[in-house]
Amino acid sequence: MTGTLVLAGTPIGDITDAPPRLAAELSGADVIAAEDTRRLRRLTQALGVQPKGRVVSYFEGNEAARTPELVEALVGGSRVLLVTDAGMPSVSDPGYRLVAAAVERDVKVTAVPGPSAVLTALALSGLPVDRFCFEGFLPRKAGERLSRLREVAEERRTLVYFEAPHRLDDTLAAMAEVFGSDRRAAVCRELTKTYEEVKRGPLGELAEWAAEGVRGEITVVVEGASEKGAEGLDAAELVRRVRVREEAGERRKEAIAAVAAEVGVPKREVFDAVVAAKNAANAASVTP
């Protein structure tokens, strides 16, 4: 008989959000794989739980090396509990590699549902939640970050990102550049904690706000691209969409055709907007 892998969601802030099953799993597991064993100790103390099983670390640095060991424990009949620092394992946290390996060996995988920063931020954002994409953390390098954002510039579903507080201002500025400064967004900070804050507004305004410095755990929710037809788009927006596609590697002719099809206007209208913008830029560059 093989064992069971249990993915356990942990509180993202308020410890009282811990589901009752979490305490039972912590006390009954044969092996507990924890992203941070010190944080696990604080969690068990807060819940009044004394783990009986073996505790091992399982984090980004040792995930590849430790996965085979945990899989062998599962195949041997052990109940292995995986917990990360906050939220659900494998969602921008260790876990995916272990789940994939367990499935490959026909090991049962189940979960203890728990708090989720992604869903909590979505619900609080005030933006559409019927369809959304979770994009995790953006690349740290500016060029790679812009490239990733351009990939989803025309995505109509609501977008959710995690971000470090010291990079938030740069990220919001990049989003305003690629998505447009008027695109609605919400910055959710310290969710479920004492100083919880949700700052809503256009990306341009949020970038200015974040430039002053922001602390805490951050989740950013961004409105999807508009589904409005041509009547809702001015020439500047048409030009911006073409530029985003060009910067992503498309030739101008292809970008113009794609934007025209996307918003339902003649290619000539988009072409004229691009030419007018180019002429205006050239005129400005030679003005004394």
Side-chain angles (χ1 to χ4, degrees), residues 64-269:
R66 180 139 282 167
T67 292
E69 171 192 332
L70 294 174
V71 171
E72 288 309 309
L74 288 163
V75 171
S78 295
R79 191 172 185 86
V80 176
L81 181 70
L82 176 60
V83 294
T84 51
D85 292 347
M88 182 60 67
S90 78
V91 181
S92 283
D93 276 335
Y96 167 74
R97 184 179 276 110
L98 180 56
V99 172
V103 170
E104 182 71 20
R105 297 291 293 273
D106 292 324
V107 172
K108 179 182 178 182
V109 181
T110 187
V112 178
S116 165
V118 175
L119 296 181
T120 302
L122 267 170
L124 296 178
S125 69
L127 297 172
V129 298
D130 54 332
R131 299 173 68 224
F132 67 91
C133 298
F134 174 58
E135 289 289 310
F137 285 94
L138 286 165
R140 297 181 182 183
K141 294 183 179 179
E144 294 176 3
R145 182 167 55 232
L146 284 170
S147 179
R148 183 75 60 80
L149 290 172
R150 287 171 187 141
E151 291 177 5
V152 295
E154 307 307 331
E155 173 59 61
R156 292 181 176 177
R157 291 171 291 184
T158 299
L159 302 165
V160 184
Y161 296 88
F162 287 159
E163 190 52 278
H166 62 279
R167 292 196 298 268
L168 180 63
D169 55 343
D170 289 337
T171 291
L172 290 172
M175 288 178 171
E177 176 184 342
V178 175
F179 298 155
S181 60
D182 292 334
R183 180 86 70 91
R184 294 188 301 163
V187 176
C188 304
R189 186 180 72 86
E190 295 289 88
L191 289 172
T192 79
K193 299 178 183 178
T194 302
Y195 298 104
E196 176 181 285
E197 178 183 22
V198 180
K199 189 75 172 177
R200 305 176 183 87
L203 281 168
E205 292 182 10
L206 291 174
E208 293 179 5
W209 164 76
E212 300 176 4
V214 180
R215 291 184 175 184
E217 306 255 342
I218 305 293
T219 304
V220 181
V221 185
V222 184
E223 180 181 35
S226 172
E227 295 186 51
K228 293 184 296 184
E231 70 278 0
L233 302 176
D234 58 16
E237 176 61 14
L238 295 176
V239 172
R240 186 192 71 79
R241 293 189 179 211
V242 170
R243 185 177 69 248
V244 167
R245 287 181 172 275
E246 284 186 295
E247 290 173 348
E250 288 188 21
R251 293 187 302 172
R252 176 164 295 180
K253 182 178 179 180
E254 295 169 345
I256 288 173
V259 170
E262 186 177 274
V263 301
V265 300
K267 285 189 289 185
R268 169 58 63 179
E269 183 173 337

Side-chain angles (χ1 to χ4, degrees), residues 15 26 38-51:
I15 193 64
L26 285 167
R38 294 167 299 179
R39 293 189 69 160
L40 172 66
R41 191 177 305 114
R42 291 197 293 270
L43 175 64
T44 56
Q45 290 173 348
L47 296 177
V49 173
Q50 181 60 50

